[in-house]
Amino acid sequence: MVPRVAVVIVVAWALGGGAHGAPARARPPKGGADVIELPAATEPVPLIVILHGDREHASAAAARWRPVVKQRGWALLALECPHELGCKDSWWQWDGDPAWVLDRITKVKAEFAISKVILVGWSGGASYIGARAQAWSGVDAIVIHGGGMAPVSPDCIEGPPVYFLVGDKNPLHALARSLHDYFTGCKREVVWDVLEGADHAREASALTAKKAGVILDWVTAH
């Protein structure tokens, strides 16, 4: 592990090459890049890992969570759907191997003191997490925001608790419901936070600092 001496914002992957052991800067991939923000801290901190929605980039997804994550002194990793592997800005359409995501998390944990990992998906990122639900047994909590879909396989494995923040007027709400039913059927602990009358735009705007704080309080309690 290396000590963290300042907040580091990184726009491409090159762990281990920067000053104080921080990730070095490199040329960002076409369309966007990963964002890593690490607080100055002497003790392990939680890591929020965010998968963006369709037709946006990691920087936009990071911006939704940055205020509350920074306020708490936690670490943030927003991942850009990998263009080099054929992704065209949509996690669920790409539907690639979750090992790619888990490898990025492992690289951060290898160099910085992380106490727990919270995997967050917005819209298409949330649907990718749901479609690959059996892959995330190694994270400590999952947050599904404005998306979700059940995995093809109904097989249950032990895994982390799940927090849903979804609107019942999203045209694809039934898909989020199917993921909820999968997790509850597998005896997972689930919080089903439904925004009454909310469409997809209102799902996005619902993630105020207050609501994000409620979710992170739930994470802390678990």
Side-chain angles (χ1 to χ4, degrees):
M1 298 289 181
V2 296
R4 280 166 285 181
V5 296
V7 173
V8 179
I9 301 178
V10 181
V11 294
W13 278 93
L15 282 177
H20 308 291
R25 293 184 180 274
R27 186 183 302 276
K30 181 179 179 181
D34 299 335
V35 176
I36 307 173
E37 300 180 7
L38 301 165
T42 57
E43 299 295 328
V45 297
L47 173 66
I48 303 292
V49 181
I50 308 168
L51 306 188
H52 61 77
D54 291 3
R55 297 178 298 281
E56 70 170 10
H57 298 291
S59 57
R64 294 187 187 95
W65 287 90
R66 179 176 290 116
V68 68
V69 171
K70 185 175 181 179
Q71 181 183 47
R72 293 174 184 236
W74 293 13
L76 181 151
L77 170 62
L79 292 173
E80 186 77 13
C81 192
H83 297 263
E84 69 274 17
L85 297 180
C87 181
K88 300 184 185 300
D89 302 327
S90 173
W91 282 97
W92 74 271
Q93 290 182 3
W94 175 61
D95 195 29
D97 192 338
W100 187 91
V101 174
L102 297 172
D103 178 63
R104 265 75 188 155
I105 296 171
T106 298
K107 286 180 179 179
V108 175
K109 292 175 69 176
E111 297 205 23
F112 302 96
I114 300 299
S115 60
K116 63 177 64 177
V117 175
I118 302 91
L119 181 62
V120 177
W122 156 246
S123 190
S127 294
Y128 172 77
I129 291 171
R132 296 290 189 153
Q134 292 96 348
W136 317 117
S137 59
V139 307
D140 298 285
I142 292 172
V143 178
I144 299 293
H145 177 206
M149 59 191 298
V152 173
S153 170
D155 294 346
C156 293
I157 63 170
E158 291 188 9
V162 185
Y163 192 110
F164 284 83
L165 179 61
V166 294
D168 61 4
K169 296 303 181 183
N170 183 326
L172 300 179
H173 181 68
L175 293 178
R177 170 65 75 174
S178 71
L179 180 59
H180 166 274
D181 292 347
Y182 165 78
F183 282 131
T184 56
C186 291
K187 309 302 181 185
R188 297 278 191 95
E189 182 177 348
V190 174
V191 175
W192 183 239
D193 190 348
V194 177
L195 306 164
E196 294 186 6
D199 60 11
H200 200 41
R202 283 187 57 197
E203 287 176 325
S205 63
L207 192 69
T208 61
K210 180 178 179 180
K211 178 60 74 172
V214 167
I215 294 172
L216 296 193
D217 284 344
W218 170 81
V219 168
T220 301
H222 291 75

